[in-house]
Amino acid sequence: MKVSELARLAGTTPKTIRFYEAEGILPAPPRRQNGYRDYDDVDACRARLVVALRGLGIELSEAGRLAELCATGACDAMSGDLVGLVAERRRAIAAAMEELAHLDTELASVQRMLANGEPVPTLCSTRKEDC
């Protein structure tokens, strides 16, 4: 199959497929006599997996490594490695959510003070004596 078909099956663009190939995330496929890349079903499965892992926020190099494991028949090892990566991503997301909740609380407080014409202790006002 051509790069455009592989990209469609993987849910991405031909440009992304070419980038993954250039970065070594996907192996270079054989080429037809006309120079077009000639991907097979294994390549399609591998590309879909890389795209799916990237959608979960897995780093590109790690997504490529995991896809390589599965493409070589070590899907159980890939799944085992993925368990830890998913847990790590969830911890990072929880920390980010906590940070965002704190930021939202701070912003709401500043917004309320500004709306009521109150001085905001953490900000300098236009009045020199308030700084």
Side-chain angles (χ1 to χ4, degrees), residues 50-65:
V50 169
V51 170
L53 291 171
R54 291 294 294 137
L56 294 174
I58 305 297
E59 293 290 326
L60 181 57
S61 60
E62 191 64 13
R65 184 186 72 78

Side-chain angles (χ1 to χ4, degrees), residues 10-125:
T12 192
T13 64
K15 183 177 181 178
T16 299
I17 296 295
R18 289 185 197 99
F19 173 76
Y20 288 170
E21 184 183 321
E23 293 295 311
I25 303 303
L26 297 175
R31 299 223 176 212
R32 297 178 186 172
Q33 283 190 326
N34 62 6
Y36 289 0
R37 292 167 173 87
D38 191 18
Y39 296 100
D40 61 19
D41 290 340
V42 173
D43 296 317
C45 182
R46 190 177 194 154
R48 277 194 306 269
L49 182 55
V50 169
V51 170
L53 291 171
R54 291 294 294 137
L56 294 174
I58 305 297
E59 293 290 326
L60 181 57
S61 60
E62 191 64 13
R65 184 186 72 78
L66 293 170
E68 168 69 17
L69 283 173
C70 208
T72 58
C75 290
D76 288 345
M78 186 273 304
S79 293
D81 289 355
L82 192 53
V83 168
L85 290 170
V86 167
E88 183 180 306
R89 284 291 298 147
R90 293 195 70 218
R91 280 191 297 275
I93 288 168
M97 288 171 60
E98 187 175 309
E99 184 177 333
L100 286 171
H102 174 74
L103 178 59
D104 186 53
T105 300
E106 292 294 316
L107 288 169
S109 176
V110 168
Q111 184 178 33
R112 182 185 42 65
M113 287 184 233
L114 291 171
N116 293 332
E118 301 171 23
V120 182
T122 57
L123 303 175
C124 283
S125 72

